[in-house]
């Protein structure tokens, strides 16, 4: 598979993704970069994806690891002693809607309290310390957020298995249609959650904290969260000239094939002007998308904004791009891709 003529896509603002998501993104844009806040917390499933070439794991910040692990241990002990609604799997089928395992309001307040307390443990006011504390706070938040995302993913897998069993059961029912039995309604309200819909702005800022520390800057951003896109449009849309460019349905390519959008996105990112760009080459693969295997891709562009400028605006003001960042390809515009099943 040729990858030289493509942009390097970075998954945002999450530090964990499921195998199914990794395979979908790979079919569209190739292997995606996934940032991690702590090198000792990489789950086996993500390591397996990396070994298969579906993702590239990067850990841009590695200082204060012992301090971070101590803060995480303290929060975990507190969560164990104060389970309440934060207990993973509580009310699995009837009470999960709208709730996220760790991000119930009491837990949110505890996370903020821990971040503030650890931030206040060093009262030096120099700029370097401010950057260090901002990085620590972001990594603490992201590590807790990724634990939440992993739990959510496991719940979704359980729900998918439940749905499959439900369908088998429905198929065995006789004369159910004649009895006014609504097959579609059963399980229709099964809980699904956009992980980016909770603390969206903080997720974006924390993720950008890792991104600005990367030695090789992202060249293209990709997400699976509608809430993240909405927040970017509301918060930075005008400043970044961020606009919707296209909505398309695309097929999921078999493993090992050339990414559908790779070369097309590289050409688009280097067009002289995004609004006048010809998107016909991107829309053409949609004709091959079967309704049962297609996904929705919404393409956004920040015209005349390099990825470095976009990421800098997302990150906390106290942080700046490192002078050690390697130069990426010459990209005129930043592309952000929203992928939804």
């Amino acid at each position: 598979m040729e990858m030289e003529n493509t942009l390097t896509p970075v998954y945002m603002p999450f530090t964990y993704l499921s195998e199914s998501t990794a395979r979908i993104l790979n079919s569209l844009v190739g292997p995606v970069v996934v940032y991690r806040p702590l090198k000792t917390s990489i789950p086996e499933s993500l390591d397996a994806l990396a070994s298969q070439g579906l993702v590239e794991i990067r850990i841009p910040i590695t200082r204060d690891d012992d301090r971070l692990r101590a803060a995480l241990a303290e929060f975990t002990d507190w969560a164990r002693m104060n389970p309440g609604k934060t207990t993973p799997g509580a009310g699995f089928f009837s009470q999960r809607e709208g709730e996220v395992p760790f991000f119930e309001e009491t837990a949110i307040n505890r996370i903020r309290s821990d971040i503030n307390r650890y931030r206040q443990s060093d009262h030096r006011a120099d700029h370097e310390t401010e950057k260090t504390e901002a990085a620590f706070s972001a990594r603490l938040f992201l590590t807790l957020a990724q634990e939440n995302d992993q739990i959510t993913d496991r719940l979704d897998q359980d729900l998918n298995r439940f749905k499959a069993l439900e369908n088998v059961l429905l198929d065995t029912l006789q004369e159910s249609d004649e009895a006014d039995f609504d097959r579609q309604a059963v399980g229709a309200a099964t809980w699904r959650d956009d992980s980016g819909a909770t603390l969206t702005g903080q997720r974006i800022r924390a993720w950008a904290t890792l991104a600005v520390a990367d030695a090789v800057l992202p060249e293209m951003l990709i997400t699976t969260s509608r809430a993240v896109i909405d927040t970017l449009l509301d918060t930075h849309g005008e400043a970044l000239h961020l606009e919707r460019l296209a909505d398309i349905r695309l097929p999921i390519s078999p493993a090992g094939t050339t990414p559908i959008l790779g070369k097309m996105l590289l050409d688009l990112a280097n067009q002289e002007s995004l609004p006048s760009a010809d998107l016909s080459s991107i829309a053409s693969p949609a004709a091959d998308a079967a309704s049962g295997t297609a996904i929705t891709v919404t393409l956004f562009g920040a015209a005349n904004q390099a990825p470095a400028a976009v990421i800098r605006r997302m990150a906390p003001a106290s942080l700046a791009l490192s002078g050690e960042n390697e130069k990426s390809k010459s990209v005129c515009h930043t592309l952000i891709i929203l992928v939804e099943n």
Side-chain angles (χ1 to χ4, degrees):
M1 183 189 306
E2 294 187 7
M3 299 301 299
E4 293 80 1
N5 295 323
T6 61
L7 299 173
T8 301
V10 179
Y11 190 50
M12 63 88 67
F14 309 104
T15 59
Y16 170 83
L17 77 171
S18 66
E19 179 180 355
S20 59
T21 299
R23 293 191 181 281
I24 290 173
L25 300 186
N26 194 268
S27 74
L28 294 174
V29 297
V32 296
V33 171
V34 179
Y35 290 133
R36 297 289 295 184
L38 187 61
K39 60 184 176 182
T40 57
S41 64
I42 301 176
E44 292 182 5
S45 60
L46 199 59
D47 262 337
L49 294 177
S51 65
Q52 297 172 51
L54 295 174
V55 304
E56 177 189 345
I57 299 173
R58 294 185 189 175
I59 309 169
I61 304 175
T62 56
R63 59 180 178 270
D64 284 339
D65 281 7
D66 290 342
R67 182 183 172 206
L68 180 57
R69 281 191 288 268
L72 292 169
E74 182 174 339
F75 179 86
T76 301
D77 288 342
W78 172 86
R80 187 180 298 112
M81 296 174 64
N82 300 269
K85 294 180 181 179
T86 66
T87 302
F92 184 66
F93 292 110
S94 61
Q95 300 175 2
R96 289 303 307 165
E97 185 173 1
E99 298 176 6
V100 187
F102 277 167
F103 285 176
E104 170 258 341
E105 187 60 32
T106 303
I108 291 172
N109 291 334
R110 175 66 180 189
I111 294 170
R112 288 172 176 157
S113 176
D114 282 352
I115 287 174
N116 289 334
R117 183 163 53 81
Y118 278 93
R119 179 182 293 161
Q120 293 166 2
S121 63
D122 189 339
H123 296 285
R124 291 172 298 170
D126 60 274
H127 180 64
E128 193 60 35
T129 298
E130 186 178 1
K131 290 174 58 177
T132 298
E133 294 306 304
F136 176 83
S137 298
R139 294 170 69 204
L140 175 59
F141 173 83
L142 288 173
T143 305
L144 293 169
Q146 73 188 17
E147 179 67 20
N148 173 84
D149 295 339
Q150 289 173 238
I151 292 173
T152 300
D153 181 50
R154 289 197 294 270
L155 288 174
D156 281 343
Q157 292 179 29
D158 289 341
L159 286 168
N160 287 337
R161 285 191 288 269
F162 171 78
K163 184 65 177 177
L165 291 173
E166 176 188 79
N167 289 336
V168 171
L169 174 63
L170 292 178
D171 288 340
T172 64
L173 295 178
Q174 299 297 321
E175 300 180 354
S176 58
D177 293 329
E178 289 77 358
D180 295 327
F181 186 84
D182 188 352
R183 294 169 181 261
Q184 299 300 321
V186 178
T190 300
W191 176 68
R192 288 293 186 272
D193 188 65
D194 176 357
S195 295
T198 305
L199 301 179
T200 309
Q202 190 165 348
R203 273 187 182 266
I204 294 172
R205 288 191 297 274
W207 175 87
T209 299
L210 296 186
V212 297
D214 192 3
V216 182
L217 293 176
E219 297 168 337
M220 178 176 65
L221 307 178
I222 189 164
T223 187
T224 50
S225 171
R226 169 69 62 174
V228 166
I229 291 295
D230 290 343
T231 298
L232 288 178
L233 288 171
D234 290 342
T235 308
H236 306 297
E238 184 175 352
L240 293 175
H241 308 290
L242 186 61
E243 296 182 1
R244 182 194 303 262
L245 301 179
D247 295 273
I248 48 181
R249 292 279 289 174
L250 293 172
I252 300 176
S253 300
T257 58
T258 300
I260 297 174
L261 298 178
K263 181 62 165 61
M264 301 174 192
L265 293 176
L266 176 61
D267 293 341
L268 182 60
N270 287 290
Q271 292 273 0
E272 182 175 347
S273 175
L274 275 182
S276 63
D278 181 10
L279 302 179
S280 59
S281 60
I282 293 180
S284 60
D288 301 325
S291 59
T293 59
I295 54 177
T296 300
V297 176
T298 307
L299 179 62
F300 296 84
N304 302 310
Q305 298 284 336
V310 173
I311 294 168
R312 185 186 297 112
R313 181 165 288 276
M314 293 181 192
S318 62
L319 300 177
L321 289 171
S322 169
E324 300 176 357
N325 293 103
E326 295 181 9
K327 290 184 178 179
S328 58
K329 297 183 182 72
S330 177
V331 179
C332 299
H333 319 289
T334 298
L335 300 180
I336 306 177
I337 297 92
L338 170 64
V339 180
E340 299 174 286
N341 264 329

